[in-house]
Structure formats: C-alpha cells, structure tokens
C-alpha cells in the first residue's frame, strides 16, 4: 500500500471522526430537533387537511343521497299519478 492510499485512508478516518463529532454536537442536536419538530407540524397539518377533506366528502355524499331520494320520490309520485290517469281513462271508456 502506497503512501498516497494510506493518506487517503487516514484523511477519510479523520473526516469520519470529525463528522461524528460534528453530527453529535449540541448545536447539531438542536438543528435535528427543530427539523423533527417542523416535520411533525407538517404531519399534523396534513392530517387536519385529510380529516377536513374526508368530512367534506361525507357531507357531499349525504347531500347527493338526499337529492336522489327526493328525485326518486317525485318520480314515484308521477308514476302513481300516471297509473291513476290510465285507470280513470279505462273506467271512463268502459262505462
């Protein structure tokens, strides 16, 4: 192994050791803590938005069901009225 490779390995070791110290320092821990808190706030916002969206979809679905129920009831009333008119015509023709 040449001195060049040895130097690279030594520099890598020193950089790794310094990196561990830098990443485990109090200042780095504060940065990690603030970043984690920001991510948690983001997750909370996403959950709130998803909950609101779900509630809105449920409201829309319930309103659509009510509209359809009302429409079906009117159609049924019209069918009954049409049937009564046909019966009345048949009775008048037979009388």
């Amino acid at each position: 192994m040449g001195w060049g490779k040895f130097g690279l390995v030594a520099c890598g070791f020193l950089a790794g050791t310094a990196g561990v110290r830098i990443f485990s320092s109090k200042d780095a821990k504060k940065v990690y803590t603030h970043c984690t808190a920001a991510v948690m706030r983001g997750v909370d916002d996403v959950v709130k938005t998803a909950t609101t969206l779900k509630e809105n979809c449920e409201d829309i679905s319930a309103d659509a069901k009510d509209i359809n129920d009302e429409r079906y009831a009117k159609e049924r009333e019209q069918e009954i009225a049409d049937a009564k008119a046909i019966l009345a015509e048949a009775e008048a023709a037979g009388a």
Side-chain angles (χ1 to χ4, degrees), residues 30-46:
K30 285 181 183 179
V31 170
Y32 303 148
T33 303
H34 286 284
C35 288
T36 302
V39 168
M40 291 172 125
R41 286 190 304 272
V43 167
D44 288 343
D45 287 343
V46 168

Side-chain angles (χ1 to χ4, degrees), residues 15-90:
T17 303
V20 168
R21 286 187 178 210
I22 290 170
F23 289 127
S24 61
S25 70
K26 287 182 182 181
D27 291 334
K29 184 177 177 182
K30 285 181 183 179
V31 170
Y32 303 148
T33 303
H34 286 284
C35 288
T36 302
V39 168
M40 291 172 125
R41 286 190 304 272
V43 167
D44 288 343
D45 287 343
V46 168
V47 169
K48 286 177 188 176
T49 301
T51 301
T52 300
L53 182 61
K54 181 181 176 190
E55 289 170 354
N56 288 341
C57 288
E58 289 171 353
D59 292 344
I60 290 168
S61 179
D63 291 345
K65 184 182 180 310
D66 291 343
I67 290 169
N68 284 336
D69 289 346
E70 192 175 305
R71 182 177 177 181
Y72 296 144
K74 286 181 182 178
E75 288 175 358
R76 184 69 178 145
E77 287 174 11
Q78 186 61 45
E79 289 173 357
I80 291 170
D82 292 346
K84 285 181 180 179
I86 291 171
L87 285 174
E89 287 178 17

